[in-house]
Amino acid sequence: MFKLKVDKTEHKILKERLAIVETPKYKYVITDDKTQVEEDKINIVFNHADIPKISSLLDLIVKGEELYITGYNEFGQKSVESRNFQYFIVDGDDLVGVLHDTRLIIRMKLYEVEELLQDKDFIRVSKYCIVNIGKIDYIRSALNSKLDLLMKNGDHCEVNRSYLKDFKTALML
Amino acid sequence: MLFLINNPTLLIVSLVVIGFMVVMIVKIYKEYDLNRLLRNKQSAMRIATPPTGMFKRIGALAGAALAPALVVVVALTLSSATTLQPSGQLHAVNDGDDIIAIYNDFQDKMSSYQVFTGFWRNSVDEVTDGAPEGADDDYSGGDEGSDDYSETNTQVEGVDEMDNVITDGKYIYSIQYNAVLITLAYTQGGGVDVLDNYKTIEYVDDTTECPTGFYVTGLYADDDHLVVIGSQYEYYCEGSGGPEPAYEEDFYYYWYGYNNNVQIFVYDKNDDFALVSEYELTGDLIGTRKIGDDLYVITSEYLPLSEDDIDVDEYLPNFTIQGDTTTVDYQDIIYVDGTSPNSFTTFYGIDLATEDVDMEVLLGDNGYNLYVSHDNIYLVGNIYYFVPMADVLDFEEPVAETKTAIQKVSIDGNDVEYVTTGTVLGYTLNQFSMDEHDGYLRIATTTGWWGDDINNRVFILDEDLEEVARIEGLGKPGETIRSVRFVGDYGYVVTFEQTDPFYVINLSDPENPFTEGELEIPGFSTYLQPLGADYMLGIGFGDSQGGTDGLKISIYDISDKTNPVVFAEDIFDYSEFGWGWSSATYNHKDILVDLGKGIIALPFQTSIWSSTTGYRYTSGILVYDFNEITGLTQEGFITHEQAAEEDVYVYKIKFIDQYFYTVSNKYIKASLISDPETIVNEVALPGYEDVYDTQID
């Protein structure tokens, strides 16, 4: 998504401090040298002193606008930023949003949530479940050619065979 | 790969293990790849990704993938360690059930292997009793014999070997039609003129007048005793009470049954060959030796342990002296873990003077090559434990190779005591492949049967039969050992395929043996015998064209160990359509060697074809004079009948005083050592009708 165009000696340090992953299909050029701007890309020219600002700007670029989803549980109603959800799963007639420690019942259909989260690095892994890629801790390959996702809260989600291809595509940068 | 083809079970297990490993490796790769993508993705999402247990997880998966292979390897290694070779650990035996348990345990261990054991297995059968009968002959004997006579040509001086013709300076004892012929050959008073048949010891049943079925194997004689060793077969003849022959009416006599016993008859020479002792030992005869009054007999009895209703008690080794039977106690049976419990191998020590018998019984592989020194008996046999996977896993010591198992039993008087069991790679040629010197056993073996796989080795083993050193790779590619002789600090080995390399091996430092000299000549020797310190007699095959179509007698000069040379040789080419043959090429006891008299003599027979006479068979004794100046000079060829109607086979030569005595199936003839071909006296030996005159109508 990014291309960092700086002095070679500073490249590694800046890359770490800005916490960026450079990709061949980059949209943004980040540089401290005006001459290195690229015409068909979004160019961010910065001074070294502005690194914290650039970093939060990058957060905004990558993570996008915050999106709050409202759900409720026995303690009442809550609005939670979408990136905090581990996954969404259909439980009987309810759609449940699973957080690290708690679960919220969401008054929406699964496909509505899916549409809502389409730019937010969530991925449908089965007919009943949408997973937050950022909350996957480890992917296990099961013997029945399914995938078992270990989430950061310790829960397991299964990637169904028919969603396998989409899941792998979603992991590509 | 051949191992796997030969072992379908193992092949299937291997394929399953390999299949499992492939699945696991694919799984590991997929998991690694997916998680790598996930980390990159999360990084691009600007999410801190603390290291998870990916490598731990992949390590565990890899372990799981390798575990079955590891289990197979460990199982094979452990099980092959127990069956690869005898462990040397002795196993207590208390009763027949213990033996069956040992057998079952051994079978379990070997169940995944194909096991071949290369021993003869004889069925067990009932034997009949028969009383021997000494012929009454009124001949009153004669004067003293000579002290100067030829003894049996043995491997170890002082350790006598059983033979079919022996002399004690007065009598010549020979075997004819299962009777022992005693021929008066020489007395100090009468010289060679006394040559005559003296007595026939035949083995006939008193009641039925039928032969008892005793088959004479060999003889020993010393100052006091004549010892006759043989086996009792079942033998039926008309009137014996046995079943009638099922076919031809006039076929009254026939041998039947298997021998599973050894009978020893001891006759007192000082009491006109009266029978003084009679021993019956169980088992098939493997070999005998005699040192002074002590006779050592080794037998083997196959145990059909695979039969469901076997009663081990019936197979327990025992011996009977004058009718009294002593059976081995189960507690005295020795079993060495790791050996195949397929038979009882029994070592008997018999004091002929006191009739005291000691026995040592091993439950385990028996053997076929017997070497006896003054202190120990070594019995060797092959073990072919064929362990699959061995070549696949590339064990340091390929276990599919033939091994020689060596049973060592110490002897002290007639006491015999098991010492240990050892193994070496390869198979032995004959008794001359072994020699004991200063407590070390030297043993020459060959591994493989043809091609580049052949490896000829000489091992030096200590008193516990642990390897001290070895020489490998004797001979050129494809050559096997054809003859061996160890003499003091040196070993002499002949290998052959195309030419005859004669190797001189320096064994003076048991830990550092080395090949000191080598000689390459056409033909090859199958028997080597030292002639003093500087010469070696070789008897074998060779012709004047450099091939092997002839009998070749060679004398090697080994005075310079680094450079052995041919000192003298004599070659008898086979005629164009005929053949020649000497039993000396494989039976050292048929050779007469006396360095004091300069005699080398051996049987030789030829069949020569010509268009006028057809095949003409000649059998006789080749007599040579050997000395260090003139070398090898043929002194004569002693024959018994020229152009005889029936073949006369002259098979043995002895000397007493200044006379040669040659023995054939028809005659004993005497001639002067100085003029071998001129017969000075002869006696016709009793024919079959003479021996069994009461049975032949």
Side-chain angles (χ1 to χ4, degrees):
Chain A
M1 187 179 254
F2 294 100
K3 185 172 187 183
L4 189 59
K5 296 177 88 171
V6 291
D7 189 294
K8 272 189 180 176
T9 53
E10 292 178 334
H11 184 270
K12 194 180 173 193
I13 301 164
L14 280 173
K15 192 176 158 187
E16 283 171 6
R17 289 183 66 185
L18 292 170
I20 65 164
V21 176
E22 294 172 312
T23 70
K25 293 177 182 174
Y26 55 96
K27 293 179 187 169
Y28 303 95
V29 176
I30 305 173
T31 177
D32 57 357
D33 183 353
K34 284 179 189 171
T35 61
Q36 296 209 3
V37 296
E38 293 180 31
E39 283 185 358
D40 55 340
K41 308 289 179 192
I42 300 165
N43 293 279
I44 304 171
V45 183
F46 70 101
N47 292 321
H48 285 189
D50 296 331
I51 284 175
K53 287 178 190 169
I54 297 294
S55 189
S56 56
L57 185 61
L58 290 176
D59 275 347
L60 184 65
I61 293 167
V62 172
K63 295 176 181 174
E65 293 290 335
E66 291 183 341
L67 174 68
Y68 285 85
I69 291 176
T70 306
Y72 69 93
N73 60 12
E74 64 267 38
F75 302 111
Q77 191 169 301
K78 274 185 184 176
S79 282
V80 179
E81 209 288 311
S82 64
R83 284 186 292 264
N84 292 320
F85 283 94
Q86 304 269 330
Y87 57 97
F88 296 91
I89 192 160
V90 178
D91 184 8
D93 292 335
D94 298 327
L95 175 65
V96 178
V98 180
L99 296 158
H100 193 274
D101 296 317
T102 58
R103 296 156 73 90
L104 296 175
I105 294 172
I106 314 290
R107 291 181 195 277
M108 293 169 84
K109 299 290 178 194
L110 189 65
Y111 70 89
E112 290 171 342
V113 174
E114 189 181 12
E115 274 178 25
L116 208 59
L117 296 173
Q118 61 182 342
D119 294 327
K120 294 290 181 187
D121 289 317
F122 278 73
I123 180 72
R124 184 82 171 256
V125 294
S126 71
K127 206 174 169 185
Y128 311 101
C129 186
I130 296 168
V131 166
N132 181 354
I133 294 173
K135 293 291 183 185
I136 300 172
D137 193 42
Y138 190 80
I139 307 167
R140 285 182 181 176
S141 165
L143 284 174
N144 53 7
S145 36
K146 292 180 179 176
L147 296 178
D148 177 32
L149 307 180
L150 176 62
M151 307 307 291
K152 288 192 173 170
N153 69 344
D155 286 1
H156 287 265
C157 293
E158 193 178 78
V159 182
N160 225 307
R161 232 170 292 176
S162 48
Y163 293 87
L164 211 57
K165 200 176 168 190
D166 290 343
F167 179 76
K168 284 179 186 170
T169 311
L171 289 185
M172 306 293 177
L173 294 173
Chain B
M1 211 48 214
L2 197 62
F3 279 103
L4 295 175
I5 293 164
N6 287 336
N7 293 273
T9 314
L10 190 76
L11 182 65
I12 291 165
V13 171
S14 301
L15 288 175
V16 169
V17 168
I18 290 168
F20 177 74
M21 286 173 71
V22 168
V23 168
M24 290 302 283
I25 288 166
V26 169
K27 182 179 156 72
I28 289 169
Y29 175 74
K30 274 169 71 178
E31 231 178 89
Y32 171 78
D33 193 47
L34 280 170
N35 284 284
R36 184 184 57 81
L37 288 174
L38 178 68
R39 295 292 156 250
N40 287 343
K41 177 74 179 177
Q42 289 180 339
S43 182
M45 287 163 67
R46 302 182 61 72
I47 294 170
T49 52
T52 55
M54 181 165 80
F55 288 103
K56 210 170 160 185
R57 158 84 179 164
I58 285 173
L61 286 174
L66 292 173
L70 214 66
V71 167
V72 171
V73 171
V74 168
L76 269 177
T77 310
L78 288 179
S79 55
S80 63
T82 56
T83 54
L84 183 64
Q85 57 187 36
S87 66
Q89 296 296 310
L90 296 185
H91 195 294
V93 175
N94 291 312
D95 52 32
D97 292 341
D98 279 359
I99 288 177
I100 292 169
I102 286 170
Y103 172 77
N104 290 334
D105 181 49
F106 187 82
Q107 290 301 104
D108 286 347
K109 279 182 187 167
M110 303 302 281
S111 58
S112 62
Y113 307 147
Q114 289 181 352
V115 182
F116 305 98
T117 50
F119 304 116
W120 294 106
R121 293 173 172 180
N122 288 340
S123 301
V124 179
D125 218 313
E126 296 278 317
V127 292
T128 54
D129 291 325
E133 182 185 89
D136 294 326
D137 196 311
D138 291 329
Y139 193 93
S140 58
D143 301 329
E144 294 296 303
S146 172
D147 290 335
D148 184 18
Y149 61 90
S150 57
E151 295 178 341
T152 305
N153 188 30
T154 58
Q155 180 181 7
V156 180
E157 200 178 336
V159 180
D160 203 3
E161 298 176 30
M162 186 169 74
D163 201 8
N164 55 357
V165 176
I166 50 176
T167 180
D168 55 11
K170 180 177 180 182
Y171 298 103
I172 289 173
Y173 309 92
S174 58
I175 302 167
Q176 192 93 300
Y177 307 115
N178 284 315
V180 178
L181 307 184
I182 303 173
T183 308
L184 179 63
Y186 180 88
T187 61
Q188 290 179 9
V192 75
D193 296 336
V194 299
L195 181 64
D196 201 1
N197 294 315
Y198 174 64
K199 190 184 270 281
T200 301
I201 300 175
E202 54 191 33
Y203 297 90
V204 174
D205 189 281
D206 282 339
T207 326
T208 63
E209 296 184 340
C210 282
T212 60
F214 178 66
Y215 179 82
V216 184
T217 310
L219 309 167
Y220 284 108
D222 57 28
D223 291 345
D224 302 317
H225 307 111
L226 168 66
V227 183
V228 179
I229 297 173
S231 299
Q232 188 73 40
Y233 284 78
E234 279 202 67
Y235 186 85
Y236 295 123
C237 74
E238 195 180 35
S240 67
E244 290 293 320
Y247 38 102
E248 297 187 33
E249 277 183 21
D250 56 349
F251 188 73
Y252 296 132
Y253 313 100
Y254 63 99
W255 296 98
Y256 178 77
Y258 299 96
N259 70 323
N260 192 237
N261 65 87
V262 176
Q263 280 194 307
I264 301 162
F265 297 108
V266 182
Y267 301 91
D268 185 356
K269 283 169 59 179
N270 303 315
D271 188 15
D272 197 26
F273 301 102
L275 179 66
V276 289
S277 307
E278 185 182 340
Y279 303 85
E280 187 171 335
L281 318 173
T282 55
D284 298 325
L285 183 64
I286 292 178
T288 70
R289 292 291 190 276
K290 184 171 170 291
I291 302 174
D293 278 339
D294 299 310
L295 177 68
Y296 306 98
V297 181
I298 294 93
T299 69
S300 158
E301 179 153 2
Y302 174 60
L303 271 172
L305 285 167
S306 55
E307 290 176 9
D308 292 335
D309 54 348
I310 181 175
D311 181 0
V312 179
D313 287 357
E314 290 178 12
Y315 297 90
L316 281 183
N318 61 64
F319 60 86
T320 305
I321 313 172
Q322 326 291 45
D324 287 337
T325 300
T326 307
T327 304
V328 68
D329 290 332
Y330 277 108
Q331 288 78 7
D332 293 337
I333 294 173
I334 291 166
Y335 175 68
V336 182
D337 276 341
T339 57
S340 173
N342 59 8
S343 49
F344 284 126
T345 303
T346 310
F347 298 79
Y348 295 96
I350 302 169
D351 186 332
L352 296 172
T354 63
E355 295 188 348
D356 183 31
V357 179
D358 187 23
M359 71 196 294
E360 191 78 309
V361 179
L362 299 187
L363 171 66
D365 283 330
N366 50 43
Y368 52 89
N369 276 335
L370 178 68
Y371 165 69
V372 181
S373 70
H374 284 272
D375 303 315
N376 294 294
I377 298 172
Y378 297 91
L379 179 66
V380 304
N382 290 353
I383 47 177
Y384 304 93
Y385 293 169
F386 182 85
V387 182
M389 295 293 285
D391 62 343
V392 180
L393 301 174
D394 193 20
F395 282 155
E396 189 181 344
E397 212 171 287
V399 287
E401 286 191 313
T402 308
K403 287 201 164 201
T404 292
I406 310 161
Q407 315 278 14
K408 181 177 181 181
V409 173
S410 71
I411 49 177
D412 180 13
N414 76 316
D415 290 338
V416 286
E417 190 176 349
Y418 170 78
V419 179
T420 188
T421 297
T423 56
V424 292
L425 280 173
Y427 53 89
T428 54
L429 180 72
N430 53 33
Q431 68 189 74
F432 295 98
S433 299
M434 291 167 278
D435 182 71
E436 188 187 82
H437 184 65
D438 292 340
Y440 292 97
L441 178 72
R442 293 90 67 92
I443 180 164
T445 68
T446 298
T447 316
W449 300 94
W450 53 76
D452 295 335
D453 291 339
I454 290 174
N455 193 347
N456 303 303
R457 304 177 175 92
V458 172
F459 295 91
I460 301 174
L461 310 179
D462 64 14
E463 289 180 340
D464 300 322
L465 299 183
E466 297 290 338
E467 184 178 329
V468 176
R470 66 166 83 174
I471 289 188
E472 298 233 22
L474 288 170
K476 297 189 167 39
E479 291 185 342
T480 54
I481 290 177
R482 296 306 174 99
S483 54
V484 186
R485 194 80 191 225
F486 294 98
V487 186
D489 284 341
Y490 285 89
Y492 303 88
V493 178
V494 169
T495 61
F496 180 76
E497 191 190 22
Q498 293 297 328
T499 55
D500 170 359
F502 172 88
Y503 293 98
V504 181
I505 300 164
N506 188 320
L507 302 163
S508 54
D509 177 2
E511 291 179 4
N512 296 297
F514 63 96
T515 305
E516 191 168 320
E518 185 181 336
L519 168 68
E520 202 171 300
I521 48 169
F524 63 95
S525 298
T526 56
Y527 176 68
L528 295 174
Q529 177 163 345
L531 305 171
D534 294 337
Y535 298 95
M536 181 68 78
L537 167 68
I539 295 174
F541 301 95
D543 58 39
S544 45
Q545 272 76 49
T548 55
D549 293 331
L551 175 72
K552 184 174 177 181
I553 300 154
S554 313
I555 308 281
Y556 303 100
D557 182 344
I558 51 170
S559 52
D560 178 0
K561 306 294 187 205
T562 61
N563 184 29
V565 292
V566 175
F567 173 65
E569 64 181 20
D570 201 10
I571 292 172
F572 294 88
D573 290 334
Y574 302 155
S575 67
E576 197 174 350
F577 298 105
W579 50 269
W581 180 72
S582 174
S583 59
T585 54
Y586 66 89
N587 183 2
H588 59 282
K589 290 178 283 191
D590 282 352
I591 303 165
L592 171 63
V593 173
D594 188 286
L595 287 181
K597 290 182 160 55
I599 301 168
I600 294 172
L602 60 153
F604 183 54
Q605 47 188 314
T606 58
S607 184
I608 298 166
W609 187 87
S610 77
S611 55
T612 50
T613 60
Y615 280 101
R616 208 176 64 198
Y617 173 81
T618 313
S619 171
I621 303 285
L622 278 171
V623 179
Y624 289 93
D625 175 71
F626 166 72
N627 65 60
E628 296 179 11
I629 297 155
T630 57
L632 199 62
T633 315
Q634 190 181 329
E635 291 287 301
F637 184 59
I638 308 172
T639 56
H640 279 194
E641 277 188 20
Q642 299 283 359
E645 280 184 18
E646 58 179 301
D647 293 346
V648 176
Y649 173 41
V650 190
Y651 61 95
K652 204 70 116 188
I653 180 165
K654 298 282 173 186
F655 76 78
I656 302 173
D657 200 68
Q658 55 182 319
Y659 298 100
F660 279 131
Y661 290 84
T662 48
V663 183
S664 69
N665 53 334
K666 288 183 79 175
Y667 307 99
I668 292 179
K669 296 196 178 191
S671 55
L672 275 165
I673 290 175
S674 55
D675 182 14
E677 290 188 358
T678 307
I679 304 298
V680 294
N681 201 357
E682 66 178 72
V683 60
L685 295 173
Y688 186 86
E689 292 79 2
D690 300 320
V691 174
Y692 295 106
D693 56 352
T694 54
Q695 280 80 52
I696 303 295
D697 295 325

